[in-house]
Amino acid sequence: MKLGLLLLAVLPAAVYAQDSIAVMSNDTYPNTFSSGSSNVQPFNNQARRFNDWSVSVGGGAALMVHSDLKSIYDKKINWGYNSYVSLDKQITHVFGLSLIYQRGETTQKAMLEGAAGAAAGVAEAKTKYNQIALMGDINFSNILRRVDNHSPYRWALHGYAGAGVMGYKTSLHDNDEFRWSSNPRRIPLFMEQKLEFNSFYFQFGTGVKYNVSKLIDIEARTMYIISGDDEFDGGGWAGSADYDPSSKVSKYNMIDKRRSDNMWTVNLGISFKLGKHPSHLAWHDPLQEAYYKANVLENKENDLVVCEKGDLDNDGVCDDWDRQLDTPAGARVDGAGVALDMDLDGVIDLYDKCVTVPGPVENQGCPTK
């Protein structure tokens, strides 16, 4: 019985309480996902304040660094090139995604040890590559921006990381096994990796961007590329014989113990920001906007301007809303600036000798009898 009475008392309250936060089946706001006091609206193209798409192109140097054959050999740099184009989508003011295509070529050299090295001399290899990747972009400047930094926001530090697939072609020339010769018949070592899903690679790096205008950014970017492939530098097939000291094939793939030939690129690029809005989301920090608005409120003039038209009759009621602009000096007035006449006899209290009893004007507001 007690449980029944308790349910009878609680259920109506629960039903009516749920009614105020019920999920609405239409597009009307507010609902359970927004505060009733919030200024909320659907997020669509009309509500967007910033551009969030861009196209980037760039290029620079490419070097095979952590590999068997290296681009920096005998204190000399064998320059290669790298170029890229990407479609960039800014998700938030801190994070974005890019679909990037890269193409380039590296030149690298190495020399085998002992008699094999004396016979082959310095081997030279080239790698021509094509890469497609999905890359994340973190805007560190929007994360680390100081509260008291009110300088123009023109420079930004970015961090990048991503993964993708690549294809490449390599060639290796030396003076022994991998040379052009008809007697004995020998040719350089040529290898090819198709652009397939099993040719996975990773990359990460950092860059500095400069906001030139609302349409253009320029950037200096450096990336480290992990191929996960010991054939990427052209040093030979990654078969068991290539790592067997007793086999007779050249051991270029055993010069470095790593089984991943990695590359380093340094690029200069330009981004073309797309859209009709005056600024791009990557250059906007919502916290900085909040700090700015708070600072404006803190330093705003608090003087309230009253009586813009003055108070000509000095009755204490501004002429902006005074209904009697010529109130006699000393007369008490109501909120509208009209002189008081308590007994409503037509004689204001200032001149009325009988304030509480009606009387004619000729008798100074007092009764004649």
Side-chain angles (χ1 to χ4, degrees):
M1 183 66 179
K2 291 181 179 179
L3 178 61
L5 292 175
L6 178 63
L7 292 176
L8 187 63
V10 170
L11 283 178
V15 171
Y16 284 108
Q18 289 293 327
D19 181 68
S20 64
I21 58 172
V23 177
M24 298 181 181
S25 60
N26 54 32
D27 294 332
T28 304
Y29 288 82
N31 54 32
T32 52
F33 306 104
S34 62
S35 169
S37 61
S38 299
N39 180 20
V40 295
Q41 60 180 342
F43 184 66
N44 49 33
N45 287 331
Q46 287 72 30
R48 294 178 186 271
R49 293 171 49 200
F50 308 100
N51 301 322
D52 49 17
W53 287 96
S54 62
V55 174
S56 301
V57 294
L63 302 172
M64 198 73 69
V65 285
H66 295 134
S67 52
D68 301 294
L69 290 88
K70 295 178 171 59
S71 296
I72 303 175
Y73 180 79
D74 195 22
K75 299 181 181 180
K76 295 181 180 179
I77 300 177
N78 300 279
W79 295 100
Y81 78 90
N82 179 72
S83 58
Y84 70 87
V85 59
S86 67
L87 179 64
D88 314 314
K89 168 66 174 178
Q90 195 69 28
I91 308 299
T92 71
H93 67 289
V94 169
F95 179 74
L97 283 175
S98 297
L99 180 64
I100 184 170
Y101 168 74
Q102 294 186 122
R103 181 187 181 116
E105 179 179 335
T106 63
T107 300
Q108 48 274 357
K109 295 181 178 181
M111 186 173 180
L112 297 170
E113 294 181 350
V122 178
E124 179 176 315
K126 290 185 181 293
T127 301
K128 296 181 179 179
Y129 59 87
N130 294 278
Q131 300 172 331
I132 300 176
L134 187 65
M135 188 169 67
D137 174 2
I138 296 179
N139 189 337
F140 289 113
S141 293
N142 268 344
I143 298 176
L144 305 174
R145 191 163 170 83
R146 289 170 55 108
V147 177
D148 56 351
N149 185 356
H150 302 293
S151 62
Y153 190 13
R154 309 289 286 188
W155 295 92
L157 176 65
H158 288 249
Y160 303 101
V165 294
M166 68 176 178
Y168 59 84
K169 293 180 179 180
T170 68
S171 63
L172 185 145
H173 302 255
D174 64 13
N175 295 328
D176 188 23
E177 182 182 356
F178 302 122
R179 61 186 172 91
W180 291 107
S181 174
S182 57
N183 187 22
R185 183 174 178 78
R186 293 175 178 176
I187 62 172
L189 177 60
F190 297 102
M191 296 187 297
E192 180 178 1
Q193 168 64 56
K194 299 291 187 181
L195 186 65
E196 299 173 341
F197 285 105
N198 61 351
S199 58
F200 214 62
Y201 80 98
F202 302 91
Q203 62 180 347
F204 62 90
T206 186
V208 176
K209 281 189 176 183
Y210 179 73
N211 184 13
V212 178
S213 68
K214 69 177 183 179
L215 298 177
I216 294 176
D217 293 341
I218 58 175
E219 179 186 22
R221 177 190 300 181
T222 180
M223 301 293 295
Y224 186 76
I225 297 172
I226 304 173
S227 72
D229 190 339
D230 205 13
E231 301 171 356
F232 187 49
D233 64 351
W237 302 103
S240 57
D242 293 276
Y243 303 106
D244 184 358
S246 63
S247 67
K248 295 182 179 181
V249 298
S250 297
K251 302 299 188 297
Y252 288 104
N253 269 350
M254 293 182 65
I255 295 176
D256 192 293
K257 294 182 179 179
R258 297 181 182 90
R259 295 296 179 93
S260 175
D261 298 328
N262 302 334
M263 185 175 67
W264 176 42
T265 65
V266 180
N267 303 284
L268 290 176
I270 184 170
S271 296
F272 301 95
K273 294 171 281 191
L274 310 177
K276 62 182 180 179
H277 299 290
S279 62
H280 193 275
L281 182 57
W283 292 105
H284 178 74
D285 181 359
L287 292 178
Q288 188 66 19
E289 180 180 359
Y291 299 150
Y292 171 76
K293 290 182 177 179
N295 182 69
V296 170
L297 291 175
E298 288 175 0
N299 295 279
K300 188 176 180 180
E301 293 290 341
N302 294 321
D303 295 337
L304 178 64
V305 178
V306 295
C307 291
E308 185 176 352
K309 296 182 179 179
D311 181 14
L312 295 178
D313 53 10
N314 295 314
D315 61 357
V317 179
C318 296
D319 292 350
D320 304 66
W321 49 83
D322 195 334
R323 295 176 57 190
Q324 185 178 9
L325 297 175
D326 57 350
T327 304
R332 294 186 302 160
V333 296
D334 60 13
V338 178
L340 294 177
D341 180 11
M342 297 294 292
D343 53 10
L344 301 177
D345 59 1
V347 180
I348 65 174
D349 294 350
L350 177 65
Y351 303 134
D352 198 331
K353 300 299 184 182
C354 301
V355 176
T356 60
V357 181
V361 177
E362 295 79 8
N363 201 33
Q364 292 181 320
C366 292
T368 55
K369 293 183 181 179

